[in-house]
Amino acid sequence: MFILETLIAITVAMTTAFGGLVAEDLITRDAACTISAVPDLWSPECTSPSRLAWFVGTLAVLITAMAVRAWMIAHNGTLYYLRLLPAESADRMRAAVDVANARSLDFRSATGWFGTNGDVVDLRRAVDHVSDELERAMNDDDDATGYVLAPNLAFPAALAVGYDTLLRERTHLAELPTEARRRRLPGGDTGVRTVYFDDGDDMWAERRWLSRRSRPDSELSMVTLGTGHGPTGRVWLSLQLDGGGAVSEVDAQHPLRAAADLVVVVGPTATTDGVETLRPWALPAGRWYPGASGRQIDRRAFARLVEELSGAVEQVLDDHPEADVLLSGRMPRSVAFALGYVISQRKDDRIEGKRAAHHPTRPDDTRAERAQARAENEGLSSLSRFWSSVTPVLEHLGEAKPALVHAAQRDEVVRRLPVGPAA
């Protein structure tokens, strides 16, 4: 940006100087100068062709440099670093933040740590702090610039912060590398991967939402594993994008999963030696643009993935409207943040292809619960009760604990979840 600003300053001075010389030529020339068309400007009777050529050339360079500057402002803008991790964890993104910040016009941060003691991890105050700081910083920022959000949040926190964030236009999400490239050519690829995640009407607000059952070409598989505990009162839903291992063994070491009546695993799969295994999902990075912090992720592929993940959560809520859903996930940090945001957008809309009359009412339902059931039966997304039915799970140091991250969660329901296998 410094080089570009210097180039603009030089070309402004040169354009002004040669523009003044051309104007002087036009004013002081004799009566033989008659301008009836553009080519007449180059006539020796009217101007000096060399002066005019320099003026036009420097003006073209100035316009080009200003256009590049406007593009960089809109795409780079302010870098927002969001960190909320267990206190025992290390922040391995600091070097990457410094590298990404070198390409940004400004920098903001909203960070914190949290403890993991107890059977339930309560992150509500820490999540509120990060969300409030992010909103305050974005409100104080220049609307003419772009916004680059770089989340480094534990999975439950990423869902909650993304859910509560009001995104602006020209918003990008950044996936920071764990090991930043410290030696690189000036202007080269830094290893940061960014995706355009704009909140314009054509991106999310006016999106046509389809139920997962209406999309036979889903990239992600949904595998259901019954555990034989009778009626479905608790579902373990695992969103897996990191790959590795047999689907049947996903999260098998966690007592919370063993206590579930049903296990649902969502992710890319492949069959190896007759065993269904998980495949890793890679960020679909495209080409690198000069001046950008790193390669751009295919925004359509990214949006499609997040839509599929939210659709999988929605389908589980549709199929088991009375169940408590424990949600675990292993995925890139930017995807987890985006998933929270898309859930908040999808929950307010009607879903095409949704099965009607699938949420029964019970005699002891409250008026609000009856209204919710009627709305869902008429096509409203079941994600409107996401926080009252879903409990995110924090996986840390080999343990899986239910997490309280949002004010809409039911505290008493989360705290009575079993901490060991069902009897």
Side-chain angles (χ1 to χ4, degrees):
M1 183 62 75
F2 172 77
I3 296 176
L4 186 61
E5 295 284 2
T6 303
L7 176 62
I8 290 175
I10 293 173
T11 51
V12 165
M14 294 181 66
T15 302
T16 303
F18 285 109
L21 293 175
V22 171
E24 181 182 0
D25 287 342
L26 293 174
I27 293 172
T28 59
R29 293 296 179 177
D30 55 28
C33 176
T34 302
I35 302 176
S36 59
V38 173
D40 292 337
L41 284 172
W42 299 90
S43 172
E45 288 80 11
C46 293
T47 62
S48 167
S50 60
R51 291 179 177 180
L52 186 58
W54 274 100
F55 170 71
V56 173
T58 55
L59 180 62
V61 173
L62 176 61
I63 294 173
T64 302
M66 293 292 289
V68 172
R69 179 179 182 274
W71 183 90
M72 292 182 67
I73 287 175
H75 285 72
N76 290 347
T78 303
L79 175 66
Y80 293 83
Y81 179 54
L82 312 176
R83 182 195 67 207
L84 188 57
L85 299 171
E88 303 89 350
S89 301
D91 184 358
R92 304 188 185 282
M93 305 297 159
R94 292 180 180 177
V97 169
D98 291 339
V99 171
N101 188 32
R103 298 289 182 82
S104 303
L105 302 178
D106 205 348
F107 177 75
R108 302 285 190 275
S109 66
T111 62
W113 304 94
F114 61 86
T116 58
N117 296 327
D119 295 332
V120 175
V121 181
D122 192 344
L123 308 180
R124 286 174 292 188
R125 291 183 61 183
V127 167
D128 287 345
H129 167 73
V130 172
S131 296
D132 291 345
E133 285 296 307
L134 174 60
E135 182 176 8
R136 181 192 58 77
M138 294 182 77
N139 287 339
D140 293 341
D141 203 353
D142 184 357
D143 291 339
T145 66
Y147 304 86
V148 183
L149 307 184
N152 185 17
L153 306 164
F155 175 70
L159 289 178
V161 175
Y163 185 95
D164 286 343
T165 298
L166 177 62
L167 295 185
R168 307 322 200 251
E169 294 184 11
R170 298 181 302 279
T171 295
H172 291 71
L173 299 181
E175 186 71 23
L176 301 179
T178 55
E179 295 183 3
R181 300 183 182 179
R182 300 184 179 182
R183 293 184 180 180
R184 67 187 192 282
L185 294 175
D189 183 7
T190 63
V192 179
R193 300 293 175 255
T194 57
V195 59
Y196 185 68
F197 202 70
D198 184 70
D199 192 35
D201 289 346
D202 60 337
M203 188 72 178
W204 297 113
E206 301 297 329
R207 198 173 188 86
R208 178 171 168 253
W209 300 105
L210 299 175
S211 69
R212 189 179 186 278
R213 289 188 174 88
S214 300
R215 305 191 75 114
D217 57 340
S218 296
E219 181 181 356
L220 306 179
S221 302
M222 178 179 281
V223 181
T224 302
L225 308 171
T227 58
H229 289 311
T232 304
R234 187 172 296 111
V235 178
W236 178 275
L237 174 57
S238 185
L239 308 178
Q240 297 285 332
L241 297 183
D242 288 350
V247 173
S248 60
E249 297 300 319
V250 170
D251 300 328
Q253 73 278 15
H254 298 316
L256 271 177
R257 178 202 189 267
D261 304 315
L262 201 67
V263 175
V264 180
V265 179
V266 178
T269 61
T271 302
T272 304
D273 297 330
V275 178
E276 194 166 17
T277 58
L278 290 166
R279 295 186 294 107
W281 181 86
L283 290 169
R287 61 171 140 172
W288 170 75
Y289 295 94
S293 296
R295 295 184 183 275
Q296 293 282 320
I297 300 169
D298 185 336
R299 64 174 182 174
R300 291 179 177 83
F302 187 90
R304 173 65 183 272
L305 172 81
V306 179
E307 185 176 355
E308 281 198 37
L309 289 172
S310 64
V313 178
E314 184 179 65
Q315 181 172 323
V316 170
L317 293 177
D318 284 342
D319 293 345
H320 310 284
E322 306 302 324
D324 295 324
V325 179
L326 292 162
L327 179 62
S328 69
R330 297 189 190 95
M331 60 189 67
R333 296 170 294 275
S334 56
V335 175
F337 180 92
L339 176 59
Y341 179 79
V342 169
I343 287 174
S344 72
Q345 295 296 301
R346 183 169 182 147
K347 72 180 178 66
D348 297 324
D349 288 334
R350 304 285 170 175
I351 307 300
E352 297 184 26
K354 179 182 172 72
R355 290 188 292 181
H358 203 59
H359 190 174
T361 58
R362 298 177 300 182
D364 58 343
D365 281 348
T366 64
R367 181 177 299 179
E369 290 171 335
R370 289 178 179 273
Q372 173 68 31
R374 286 195 298 269
E376 284 191 41
N377 290 335
E378 294 171 359
L380 182 71
S381 173
S382 56
L383 291 173
S384 57
R385 54 183 171 87
F386 177 80
W387 289 114
S388 61
S389 298
V390 176
T391 300
V393 173
L394 173 69
E395 296 185 64
H396 178 60
L397 298 179
E399 294 184 323
K401 296 182 179 181
L404 284 165
V405 292
H406 199 274
Q409 286 181 267
R410 296 179 294 172
D411 189 283
E412 70 283 357
V413 173
V414 176
R415 293 191 182 278
R416 72 166 179 253
L417 289 170
V419 296

